[in-house]
C-alpha cells in the first residue's frame, strides 16, 4: 500500500477494508488522533471493543506484550486492533527491535496494528530504526505522515466549518483568524466553536475574532513587532504589559520578535532582488508558512535593510542579556524596545 493520502484513508475507513499495518506520524496532532480513532472504531465493533482493542504506551511495554495482542484471535469480529503509541525505536535494545521487526513483517490477516507517533518526533534518517519500520510499512502496510495544513487548506477548512455551524466567514477574516489563533488544528476548531456560538448565524468579523478568540503568544508578539516598526510607542508598551501580565517568558518574547524581524529581513532582500517575498522560501524552511513572508514584506515596506540589521543586532544583544546577565528581564526588554522604536523612526 505504501504512503497513502487522506482521501485514501477516508475510503478505507468508509469501506472497512484495512491494511494490517499502519504507521502514523507528523506534526498535526489533531489529524493523527482523528484518523487513528476512526480506524480503531471501525475495525472493532463497539459490542466487542474491550475484547478486540488493545492499546499500549510504547515506552512502558515490551514487544512480547505487543506480540501477544497481535496474535490473539478476534472475538466476533473480522479484526482485532492493536495500537502502539510512541514506541521508543531509537533507544530500544537491538534484541527487542529485531523481535518487533519480525512481528510486523508477518502480521496475521486478522490484526490491524497501528504504530502511532503522537508526542515523539521520530528520527527518519536513513539507516535508522524508524526509517527501517517505514520501509517495512511501505511494503507490508500503509504510511501516513500528517503535517500542519497550508494556509489555503486551513482557510478552506475554517470557511466550511463556519458554514456547518450556521455562520459565514470571508477568506480575509479566515486568514486573520488563523494568524491570531495559530495553525494548530485542534485549537483552531475549538476557537471556531466559541466564535460561531458567539455570532449566532451571521457573518464573522475581525471584531468578533478580537472579542472572543484567545490569541496565541506568537500572534501577540507579532502584534508587538508591528507596533514597534510602525513607531507606535504606546501600543508597543501596552502589549508588553499584557505579555508580562500573562507570565510570558521574556526569552519567548525576544525569540518570537527575532523570528518576526528575520522574516522581514529575508522578505525585504527578496523584494530588493526583484523576486517575490515568498521566493525566500526556496532558501529557508517556510513550508506551509509562505504567508509569513508576504505579511513580513508589507510590514517591512517602510524600513530599510540597514534599519532591520540594527534591529536584529539589538534583539540579539537583548536575548544574550536575558539568558546570562542576571539583570531585570523587563528592564532589558523595555530598553531593547526603546532602541527598536528609535531605529524604526530613523527613516
Amino acid at each position: 500500500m505504501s504512503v497513502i493520502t487522506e482521501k485514501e484513508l477516508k475510503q478505507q475507513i468508509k469501506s472497512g477494508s484495512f491494511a494490517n499495518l499502519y504507521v502514523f506520524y507528523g506534526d498535526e496532532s489533531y489529524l493523527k488522533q482523528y484518523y487513528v480513532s476512526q480506524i480503531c472504531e471501525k475495525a472493532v465493533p463497539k459490542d466487542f471493543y474491550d475484547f478486540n482493542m488493545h492499546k499500549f504506551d510504547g515506552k512502558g511495554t515490551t514487544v512480547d506484550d505487543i506480540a501477544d495482542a497481535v496474535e490473539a484471535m478476534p472475538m466476533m469480529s473480522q479484526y482485532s486492533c492493536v495500537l502502539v503509541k510512541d514506541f521508543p525505536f531509537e533507544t530500544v535494545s537491538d534484541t527487542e527491535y529485531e523481535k518487533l521487526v519480525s512481528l510486523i513483517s508477518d502480521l496475521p490477516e486478522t490484526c490491524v496494528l497501528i504504530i502511532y507517533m503522537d508526542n515523539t518526533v521520530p528520527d527518519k534518517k536513513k539507516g535508522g530504526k524508524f526509517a527501517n519500520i517505514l520501509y517495512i510499512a511501505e511494503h507490508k502496510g500503509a504510511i501516513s505522515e500528517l503535517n500542519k495544513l497550508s494556509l489555503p487548506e486551513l482557510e478552506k477548512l475554517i470557511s466550511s466549518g463556519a458554514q456547518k455551524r450556521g455562520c459565514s466567514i470571508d477568506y480575509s477574516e479566515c486568514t486573520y483568524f488563523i494568524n491570531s489563533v495559530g495553525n494548530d488544528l485542534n485549537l483552531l476548531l475549538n476557537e471556531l466553536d466559541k466564535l460561531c456560538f458567539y455570532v449566532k448565524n451571521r457573518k464573522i468579523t475581525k471584531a468578533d475574532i478580537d472579542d472572543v478568540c484567545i490569541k496565541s503568544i506568537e500572534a501577540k508578539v507579532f502584534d508587538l513587532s508591528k507596533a514597534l516598526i510602525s513607531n507606535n510607542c504606546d501600543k508597543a508598551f501596552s502589549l508588553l504589559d499584557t505579555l508580562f501580565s500573562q507570565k510570558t517568558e521574556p526569552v519567548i518574547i525576544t525569540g518570537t520578535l527575532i523570528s518576526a524581524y528575520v522574516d522581514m529581513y529575508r522578505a525585504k532582500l527578496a523584494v530588493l532582488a526583484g523576486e517575490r517575498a515568498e521566493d525566500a522560501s526556496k532558501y529557508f524552511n517556510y513550508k506551509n508558512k509562505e504567508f509569513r513572508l508576504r505579511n513580513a514584506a508589507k510590514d517591512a515596506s517602510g524600513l530599510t535593510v540597514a534599519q532591520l540589521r540594527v534591529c536584529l543586532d539589538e534583539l540579539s544583544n537583548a536575548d544574550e542579556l536575558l539568558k546570562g546577565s542576571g539583570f531585570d528581564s523587563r528592564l532589558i526588554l523595555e530598553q531593547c524596545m526603546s532602541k527598536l522604536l528609535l531605529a524604526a523612526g530613523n527613516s
Side-chain angles (χ1 to χ4, degrees), residues 27 124 145-153 183 278 280-293:
D27 60 18
K124 297 188 294 179
E145 182 178 6
L146 295 166
N147 291 315
K148 300 291 185 187
L149 301 180
S150 66
L151 181 62
E153 289 172 326
N183 67 347
E278 55 266 38
S281 63
K282 293 185 292 187
Y283 310 102
F284 305 99
N285 183 19
Y286 285 89
K287 185 179 179 181
N288 294 334
K289 297 178 182 177
E290 291 84 358
F291 68 92
R292 278 177 42 180
L293 291 166

Side-chain angles (χ1 to χ4, degrees), residues 62-96:
T62 67
V63 176
D64 286 338
D65 293 330
I66 299 169
D68 288 343
V70 165
E71 292 164 5
M73 291 297 294
M75 180 178 290
M76 303 296 289
S77 173
Q78 181 179 357
Y79 299 110
S80 65
C81 192
V82 180
L83 175 62
V84 181
K85 180 179 174 182
D86 290 329
F87 191 84
F89 291 102
E90 305 307 325
T91 58
V92 72
S93 70
D94 290 343
T95 301
E96 286 286 286

